[in-house]
Structures are given as C-alpha cells and as structure tokens.
Amino acid sequence: MSDIMTPIPFGKLMDWIIKEHKTGSVFGVKRPFIADQKNTATIFGRSLETPFGPAAGPHTQLTQNIVASYVAGSRFFELKTVQKLDGEDLPVSKPCIRAEDECYNCEWSTELYVPQAYDEYVKAWFACKVLAKEYGLGSMDGFQFNMSVGYDLEGIQTEKIDRFIEGMKDASGAPIFTECRQWLLDNLDRFENLTRDDVEGISPEVCNCITLSTLHGCPPQEIERIAKYLIEKKQVHTFIKCNPTLLGYDYARRLMDEMGYDYVAFGDFHFKDDLQYEDAVPMLKRLQALADEKGLEFGVKITNTFPVDVKQNELPSEEMYMSGKSLYALSLSVALKLADDFDGKLRISYSGGADYFNIEKIVDAGIWPVTMATTMLKPGGYQRLEQIGRLFAAKKAPVFESVDAAKVRTLVEGAKTDRHHVKAVKPLPSRKINRPVPLADCFIAPCQEGCPIHQDITQYLQLAGEGKYEEALKVILNKNPLPFITGTICAHNCMSKCTRNFYETPVNIRRTKLESAEGGYEAVMEDFKAPAVSSGKKAAVVGGGPAGLAAAFFLARGGMKVTVFEKEAKMGGVVRNVIPAFRIPDSAIDRDVKIIEAMGAELVNGKEIQSIETLKKEYDYVVLALGASQPGELRLEPGEPVNALEFLAEFKATDGKAKLGKNVAVIGGGNTAMDTARAAKRNAGVEKVSLVYRRTRRYMPADEEELAMALEDGVEFAELLSPIRQENGVLYCKKMVLGDLDASGRRGVAETDKIIEVPADTVIAAVGEKVPSGFYEANGIALDSRKRPQVNPDTLETSIRGVYAAGDGLFGPATVVEGIRDGRKAAEAILGKGLAEDLFKLSDEKTIADRKGNLAEEDVTETDSSRCLSCSSYCENCMEVCPNRANIALAVYGMEKHQIIHVDYMCNECGNCRSFCPWDSAPYMDKFTLFANEADMADSANQGFTVLNVHSGACRVRLLGNEFAYQSGTADERVPEKIAKIIETVICDYSYLIL
C-alpha cells in the first residue's frame, strides 16, 4: 500500500457528511457538541466558542480530520505546519506514531503538497461553517483556524509559502474557495437550515493568526527575524513555539527521572544548541512591544515536541519527538518561568499533555487556547473532545487578563505525583492477544481473551450493573467455580488487557466479580442442584487447592463421582494455608468450598496420598493437583534463610507471632515476596522489613498492585543488591548496576565491588518454589529436564494412563485462575466433552456509544460496570484512533456486529491503529481494504477490493494472494459469504466511500 493520502473532493465530502449524519454520526463522531453561542471568548479579534482544539499534527492534516474535531467540540484549530519541503520530497519514516502511553512521533509538517494542504483547510473552513448552521452546533463564526508555518525565514518567504499565507488571509481568489461556495449554492435543496445568505456570507478571511514553528537549533536572531517579518510584513497575530529545552538539561533530566521516565534517553545537545532562556526573554519582550505597536496580539506556544533518542526500535528513526503525559510537567515548567519573568502579561497558547483531567485548570490559570493531539490518538479519539466541551459549557468563557504564575506552579508541583502523568512503576503489559486479526467479525473483549479461563466478563458486568447479581454469579460459575477467591486475590490479567487502560484505569472486574458473588450467593445456593451421576466411573483428585477444587467441580458437573483428598485440615491449599488473612479471609474460601460441595464432590480432609497405584485400584482417573511446595534454593555463605512459604504458614498459624527479631530481609521480587514482606511487617516485634532485589522495582516480576501495597505497608525496597552472606544480624550484599535494555525491554545487571549492609535478624527467601518432583518420581511419572511432569498439553495427561497433573504442581507457581483452567482442562479430557459454554449477548449500541470517549475514574461506591466499553460488541478502536478516519465501521445486513474495513486512499500509514488493535495486527495492513482504483490496489499487498463500476457492482478483489474479477451480489466460491456481504454493503449503503 502507499502512504500517500488522496484528498477527497469537497462535494464528495459533503455527500459523505449528509448521508452519514442520517445514521447518527459525522466521520464517526456520534455525540456532537452544541455550543452556547452567547458564552464565547475572544482572541485575535474573533469569537471562540470553546478555548481548545487539535494541535498542529495528525488531526489537522485533512478536511475530514478537522470536521470531526469541530463536530466533537473543537473551536480552535492549529492547522498542520507547512514548509517549503512538502509532498513526496518530505522524508517521513513510517509508521510514525506510537501513543500507547506517552506519545512518540517522527513526523513533522504536512505530508501533502502545500497547495493540497491549502485546499484541505479551505474545504474544512466551509464544511465547519455549514455544519454549525445546518446541525445547530454553534455560530458560523464561533471557531478559528490558526496557521502553522516553518521553519526558517528563507523558506517562509518562498513563493509557495507566501502564497499559502496570503491565501489563508484572503481566500476569495482561490479556485477551491469558488468550488466550495458553488457546490453549496448548487445543492441548497439538500439542506434544511442552511440558506443562500449563509453560504454567500462565508468570509474568505480564513486566518488572521499564525504560529511559528522552528527547527531545533534555530538561532535566536533567525527566530526574531521571522517573527518580525510575520508581524510587520504579513500583519498577522503571531505566536512563537517554544521548546522544553529552554529549561536546561539538568532540570529536564531531573524532572523526567523523578516522574519515572528515567528510561527516556536524551543528551544535552539540543539544550545547548536550541534557543537559550536568557536570549529568549529579551527577544520576546522586543517582539511583544513590536506587536503592541502594530495593534497585533503576540505570545508563545508552549511547547513544541521534545526530541528523544530511539532506543528500542519504537519508531523507524534515530530520533523521535515525545509528547503527551510525559511532556506535561516540562511544558508547564516553561510556562511557569515565562509567567514569572513577564509578570503573567505574556500570552501563552498551550499544548503538551492536555486532556480532560487537566485542561480546566490550565485554562483557569490564564493559559489558552489549548490544543491537543495525544489524547485523541487513544481509544475514544475525537469523541473525547465532546466531554471537554461540556466542561467549558458549564463555565463562563475565559477572558485573558494574565497568566497566574501561582496556579501554574501548583500545576507543575501536582503533576510530579499525579498518576495521570507519572509513569507507572512497572512496564506496561502488552494489551494484545497473540493472534492475527480476522478480515471479518474482529470484535473481541481483550479482558476475556486475557483471562486464562476465558470468562464471559462483559456479560456478568452488564448483569451486575443492572443489580442482577444472581444472574451475574451464574454467568461467573459457568467457567469459574471459585468466585470468592478470584474475586479477592485474582491476579486479574483481564484488567491488564482492559481497553480502559488507554482511558484512565481498567474496569475493576475483580471487585465486580466479588460483588456479584456476595450479592448472588444465597439465591444461587438455595436453588443449586447437584447433577445426577451419569458416569459409571470415578475420579480422585489429590490436592484441595484451586486446581483440585476446580477439577472436582467440573467433573461433578459432567456427571462423574469425584473425591478430593487434601492432606491439611481444610480445603483451600496455598490460598488457605499460606496467603495471609489480610489478603483473603477464611470465610471467602469457605464459601467457594461450599460451592464445590454443592456440585456433588466429596471432600476428604486430613488424608495425604502417597501412592497413585493404590488410588487407581479404587478410582478410574486421578488428577494430581499437588501445588508447588518444594522450596527454591538460595545459598548464603554463611547464613541460613527461612523459606517464604514456611514463614507464611507459621505467620498464619501463630496469628502473626513468628520469632523474627526486629529487622527482616526478604529476598525476591515476585508476588510471594510481596506477601512475605507485608506479613513480616505485621509480625509482632518487627520494626524494619527490607525487600532485597538485584534489579530495580520496575523490573520486579511482582504485579504492580502487589508492589504498591507493599510500599503502602512500609516495606523498604533495597534495590540493586545481590545477597552474599548473613552474619551478626546483617545481610551483606553486592551492589549491582543496571545495564542496557535487552530486546524484551528488561535491563541487564552487573556486579560491582561495593558491599552494602542490610540489617537482618532474619532472612526470608522468596525465590520461587518447585514442583514435588520426588512424589512424581516415586510414582513412576516421567519428568522433563526441569523435573516437571511430562504431559499431553491438550489434556494434561501424564505418562501414566488416566493420571493427570494440574495447577502449580504441573509447571510451578502460577495464579489461581490458571489453576482453574488446568482443572477444567483435565476434567474435560477425562469426560471427553466441553463443560462450559461461551455466553454472549450484544450490548445496547447507544449505551456503549455514550460511554466512548468519556474519561471517568472508578467510583468505589458503585458497581464498576458503567465504564465497560463492551468491546466484544463494539470494539472499533482502530476506527476511533485513526486521525484520518481511514478505518470505517459498517452496519452490514445479516451480520450481528459491525464490520471494519480499511480505506486505503485516506491512510498515511501513521501506524496508530496498530497500537490499539487488540489483535497482534495492524488494521491498516491486515483488515479488508477498499482501494480507490486498480493502481492503488496494485501498489498494496492488502487483501481487499476496488469497485470498478458502482452501478453494475463490478469489482476487483484480492483474497489469500489471488486477485480476480468479482460481480457483487453474485455467488462466487472464492469470496466467503461475510466478505461478499461487506462488499455489497459498501456499494449499496456506503457508496460515498467510493471515489
């Protein structure tokens, strides 16, 4: 495929808008913002209904981008920068955007030719004015366009750029202005509210303001010359983009490190080469005086993006530009310096990590207009702007008097600890699933895909949100027999995959599960009837932990008589006997055990099984769910560490009165280490607990939640230490240093000669437990090279026929829900049938549409279901995050869910959709693609089609590497039914997509 975008003619765009609006959206924006025309601000002598909009970048490059932004609530548009280098002469590496968390890009100015860019902006000018009147979105004069030009005076003075500037100031002589005006006059009958007077009254004065963008390293004299030229010769209101490099390297590096961005690499080159602060202040004062003299407004735009090094192949370039959440504190720091030194009188336009959570405070500090990009590059896309619009609709329009330095200082200090801006302690997990996206029916719930037992999460969230806890619990029990345990301590991989991570925080699926269990338990148990035993065979389960209980539950459900043997006094395994009570109460475990009993399983406590052969004399099948109780080894010379599981068992048995001394050192960085350290901190007589790990906390294997709880409990992290010996109440460790990042993103470590002393009356080793190899060997089960049982991966059957292994005792310590997965897999293999079904019900489209683009934190007083985006019903991430609207959701007759197609001619291969597609795919390359013509199709490897004749339905199709002629509406074995329906739908219902 080509990364060259094809501008859409104005008439075609308007046809698209009119037809799509009838279905309830405009370029995918389903909730339009309606401005209060009486509550407007003024800047550059013009009205402004909201003080925000898209920054110069991917959202202001094409007409449809600008229109989508306007419909959603933007009223100030910083148009994408133009410069003398354009079109195919402009080198832009692709993909050029990564926005999963903080944002990086390697793009800069418009990828169109300057005359094309000009036409796009004029078309957008007309379209926004028309939509304002026709759909009642606001005043036709309630928005403003702001030119952005660069990058040196010579380039700005070229005929191409000069013509652009003058044409934006007065477009009356431009052919595109005449074309747009005439189309509207010729098609007035297609509008209900737009009149001839409205069209004829559209001003050709598109822009009277400009933002100057200069390249890094541009000398102050050049910047001042350009600004003077724009003020004196072009007579436009002028803002100058300033860079975070004004802060100095030391401040920027210290701030980034403090906020967790220590891995972001940048040197001091740009800080030394860029405009220096001591030069900037007098220059800005001179320019302010000049603008005042000329009767023009002057200010600075904060900030330009921040150049950093590419270290992990983030983008195909040597350097990339950082923006978004990590730029916020840096940008505000520049604003603070200028506000202080200019006594708040220097006007500041802002861009740098602004979003719903902070924009109100930015504007309240006197800094506006505010432009954004990163927040719109994430799921919700343009629709996020409508929520921001509502913020300002409820406030009096801002009036610029001064920038309040005190308020800006508060914002800077707050950003340093604000979780919306600091980096997470642990590297972000992948949100993707390890499968390619299908051409059709691609909507999935990432939470469900991330769950080892594939729970029907969106279904029970919906029921819980309606207060139907009994029904919700029944959905949970379909695949999960331990709702109380998993509702309390599940590692919740589902929440790591939740799309709302790209909004603010994941839906609290685990809490909702526990609420459903607690709310529905009594009703479910009252009606619970154990299935009749339908099998003539019996099964024994050895081990009453999560895997064993799950195996028993599903075997009993399937009609087999099953007995569980547990060597301890009660069922529950490591959850009952090791995990501290402050993590999970016995009452929660007891309820889950009752569910297993109610299903008909026989539970035998206090009986240890030693011989499988003896057990097989009475039972046809055996499931070994033994746990991983063999201690991991840690050698200290001298010193004898206590095993973590042994300590945790003693802590629980003695009610926190184990003999440890005052100082405890816990060695390890996993979840068990966190439990151990937190328990030790609560143990009687303990004053100090040190968690010793050879890397930093960022690279600890523990879940971030576990790590955070340990910190909250007062556990002290002794990082970059490798233990060597313990004597006289001291643990001696070698100091380690971090090395470079490896391919996985983890940093290596190297020893130093420095010795660090850690107070330690007791050392507890939490370095991983092993499977009970001795038991397996004694019973003749074949083991692998790591002394784990060899099993059939599809059935978990061991080398002994009829004997299965599951849970921690199979491959080592795992999660509760993985144990449930194994238990069910073994049960299904024994019974030879599935024991749970996938449950799906399409969510209400309007309900979910109303949630999209709305940022909302969890409300702990309510069931956290109203934030669920029901991704299995309406994913559409790729459509939402595409600035160009190049991914389209089609309503296809006869298909339950919307279908996504990619529109080739609108795509510039920015790659943003790859970041947010839950599949291991890039929709711009992997989804079924509509091409404008055969030439474009030949220039691509995508599977897709081009329509040769919209009236006859003649098409050219490429599928599975084969290209052929196809007649829409006819049967063709080469074209699957779903693909045929998609093609027919485009031709019949979405013909405006066909150029």
Side-chain angles (χ1 to χ4, degrees), residues 6-29 64-65 67 131 135 183 190 879 884-890 901-903 905-906 930 989-995:
T6 302
I8 304 172
F10 181 74
K12 198 75 176 175
L13 283 165
M14 291 308 302
D15 184 55
W16 181 336
I17 291 168
I18 292 167
K19 289 179 178 177
E20 185 186 344
H21 184 262
K22 292 177 180 178
T23 69
S25 64
V26 173
F27 293 127
V29 176
Q64 62 265 30
N65 308 22
V67 171
L131 269 60
Y135 301 141
W183 188 93
R190 299 185 66 180
M879 182 194 80
N884 297 349
R885 315 281 76 192
N887 298 313
I888 306 290
L890 308 176
I901 64 165
H902 178 66
V903 183
Y905 62 83
M906 295 165 66
L930 170 65
D989 300 336
Y990 296 83
S991 58
Y992 51 79
L993 296 175
I994 303 169
L995 289 185

Side-chain angles (χ1 to χ4, degrees), residues 7-14 63 114-127 145 163-164 167-168 170-185 199 202-204 206:
I8 304 172
F10 181 74
K12 198 75 176 175
L13 283 165
M14 291 308 302
T63 302
V114 171
Q116 289 179 308
Y118 175 81
D119 286 358
E120 291 300 292
Y121 303 153
V122 174
K123 288 188 291 183
W125 177 252
F126 270 94
F145 282 6
R163 188 186 306 119
F164 173 86
M168 293 296 281
D170 182 358
S172 58
I176 189 63
F177 188 89
T178 302
E179 177 188 327
C180 295
R181 186 174 180 273
Q182 192 59 49
W183 188 93
L184 292 169
L185 292 173
V199 175
I202 292 176
S203 170
V206 179

Side-chain angles (χ1 to χ4, degrees), residues 42-43 54 149 301 499 520 550 554 572 605 677 739 760 936:
T42 301
I43 187 172
V149 299
K301 172 65 184 287
T499 298
F554 287 109
N605 293 307
D936 285 358

Side-chain angles (χ1 to χ4, degrees), residues 394-578:
K395 296 171 64 72
K396 187 176 180 181
V399 176
F400 180 75
E401 295 175 348
S402 66
V403 176
D404 189 325
K407 289 182 177 179
V408 179
R409 184 171 287 105
T410 299
L411 290 177
V412 172
E413 291 305 313
K416 295 177 182 179
T417 55
D418 185 341
R419 63 181 184 79
H420 296 115
H421 297 289
V422 299
K423 188 68 175 181
V425 176
K426 298 291 298 298
L428 296 180
S430 171
R431 314 288 188 202
K432 289 182 171 289
I433 62 171
N434 192 27
R435 299 199 303 276
V437 65
L439 290 183
D441 284 336
C442 61
F443 294 174
I444 54 169
C447 58
Q448 188 165 330
E449 296 297 325
C451 175
I453 57 175
H454 210 257
Q455 283 215 257
D456 305 291
I457 295 168
T458 58
Q459 184 74 3
Y460 74 72
L461 283 176
Q462 181 178 334
L463 291 168
E466 296 169 358
K468 299 176 181 177
Y469 294 118
E470 179 183 357
E471 294 178 46
L473 180 55
K474 287 179 179 179
V475 171
I476 293 167
L477 290 172
N478 174 51
K479 294 177 180 175
N480 180 359
L482 307 176
F484 287 94
I485 292 175
T486 54
T488 307
I489 62 166
C490 185
H492 56 68
N493 191 45
C494 55
M495 290 170 61
S496 295
K497 299 285 187 182
C498 177
T499 298
R500 282 216 84 99
N501 283 292
F502 298 122
Y503 278 68
E504 54 319 82
T505 53
V507 174
N508 199 327
I509 297 167
R510 185 175 65 189
R511 175 168 71 85
T512 306
K513 180 182 299 170
L514 184 60
E515 289 171 355
S516 299
E518 291 173 338
Y521 179 76
E522 290 186 5
V524 167
M525 293 299 285
E526 188 176 333
D527 291 341
F528 211 107
K529 292 183 175 62
V533 174
S534 57
S535 171
K537 297 185 177 182
K538 298 189 300 180
V541 177
V542 182
L549 292 173
F553 176 89
F554 287 109
L555 285 165
R557 174 189 278 178
M560 183 171 285
K561 184 173 176 55
V562 56
T563 303
V564 182
F565 297 98
E566 167 56 48
K567 67 179 180 179
E568 302 294 343
K570 288 186 174 182
M571 295 283 161
V574 71
V575 179
R576 174 150 347 239
N577 301 305
V578 174

Side-chain angles (χ1 to χ4, degrees), residues 73 90 112 156 172 261 266 278 287 289 295 304 310 366 372 385 387 414 574 638 646 794 817 842 848 905 914 920 959:
L90 179 71
L112 299 172
I156 291 170
S172 58
Y261 299 99
F266 54 89
E278 59 268 24
L287 291 171
N304 208 342
V310 172
M372 296 163 282
L385 298 168
Q387 184 186 29
V574 71
E646 292 174 1
D794 296 325
V817 73
L842 192 71
I848 303 306
Y905 62 83
R914 178 198 289 271
D920 187 17
L959 282 169

Side-chain angles (χ1 to χ4, degrees), residues 675-738:
D675 277 349
T676 302
R678 295 179 68 204
K681 187 68 178 173
R682 288 168 166 79
N683 196 81
V686 173
E687 297 177 0
K688 178 184 173 71
V689 176
S690 303
L691 191 72
V692 179
Y693 191 64
R694 64 200 306 262
R695 287 184 172 86
T696 61
R697 67 191 67 181
R698 180 178 294 278
Y699 302 104
M700 290 179 177
D703 297 335
E704 183 167 351
E705 178 187 41
E706 303 279 348
L707 192 153
M709 289 189 294
L711 288 169
E712 289 171 7
D713 284 354
V715 174
E716 298 181 26
F717 281 54
E719 301 168 84
L720 292 170
L721 297 180
S722 180
I724 51 177
R725 69 180 189 275
Q726 180 202 11
E727 53 189 353
N728 301 322
V730 176
L731 177 65
Y732 294 88
C733 306
K734 279 194 173 183
K735 181 68 176 177
M736 312 295 284
V737 292
L738 289 175

